[in-house]
Amino acid sequence: IIMDGQIEFHLPLGLEIEGKLYKTGKMHLTTTMDELNVQEYEEVGVNPRYRDILLLASVIDEIGEIKDITKETILNLYEADFLYLQLLYNQVNSSTEIPKISCPACGNSFPIILSDLYSDPTRIK
């Protein structure tokens, strides 16, 4: 759910800094300025994944108590968390249809909402 241009997320593994584990965060919808700022870095032309690192550092507003998200912050994420954030970024910033999964028992289709994928499993919706 996007509120005030931001979406909350829950990392599958979490970011550990100084013995603390942070699993929740917020990212804002990408602006044209976010996209343009990323193009200024030479590394983007050499390694396309670097673009995603810089974009995530630009659009993620916080992870836990950490408010200053840098490329180093993103580089210190576990690969599973990085891949999850890439997929979430693409889903919330895309105008394409949200992917669906079908229940093998009843045949009904349900949307895959990535921002809810790793939320608290004890929470019942």
Side-chain angles (χ1 to χ4, degrees):
I1 299 172
I2 299 171
M3 295 186 65
D4 297 325
Q6 280 191 321
I7 186 163
E8 291 186 13
F9 60 83
H10 302 267
L11 297 173
L13 300 175
L15 176 64
E16 186 175 340
I17 297 179
E18 298 178 4
K20 284 188 172 183
L21 185 64
Y22 302 104
K23 293 188 85 164
T24 61
K26 293 180 183 177
M27 79 167 60
H28 64 263
L29 296 174
T30 304
T31 65
T32 303
M33 187 59 75
D34 292 324
E35 286 281 347
L36 288 173
N37 287 340
V38 168
Q39 302 306 320
E40 294 177 8
Y41 292 86
E42 288 180 30
E43 295 92 345
V44 172
V46 176
N47 184 348
R49 277 190 96 187
Y50 206 79
R51 176 187 178 276
D52 293 345
I53 292 166
L54 295 171
L55 260 177
L56 288 175
S58 176
V59 300
I60 295 176
D61 299 315
E62 61 187 63
I63 298 176
E65 299 170 358
I66 302 160
K67 307 287 187 209
D68 183 25
I69 307 299
T70 64
K71 67 180 178 183
E72 288 76 18
T73 308
I74 303 303
L75 288 168
N76 284 311
L77 290 171
Y78 290 109
E79 184 69 6
D81 291 332
F82 179 70
L83 293 173
Y84 164 74
L85 288 169
Q86 284 180 301
L87 290 170
L88 179 61
Y89 171 90
N90 288 331
Q91 187 175 72
V92 300
N93 287 289
S94 171
S95 61
T96 60
E97 186 176 323
I98 294 176
K100 295 182 179 178
I101 189 166
S102 295
C103 173
C106 68
N108 288 331
S109 292
F110 303 93
I112 301 171
I113 308 298
L114 288 171
S115 60
D116 292 341
L117 191 60
Y118 294 103
S119 58
D120 183 359
T122 61
R123 186 181 78 189
I124 298 174
K125 293 185 178 185

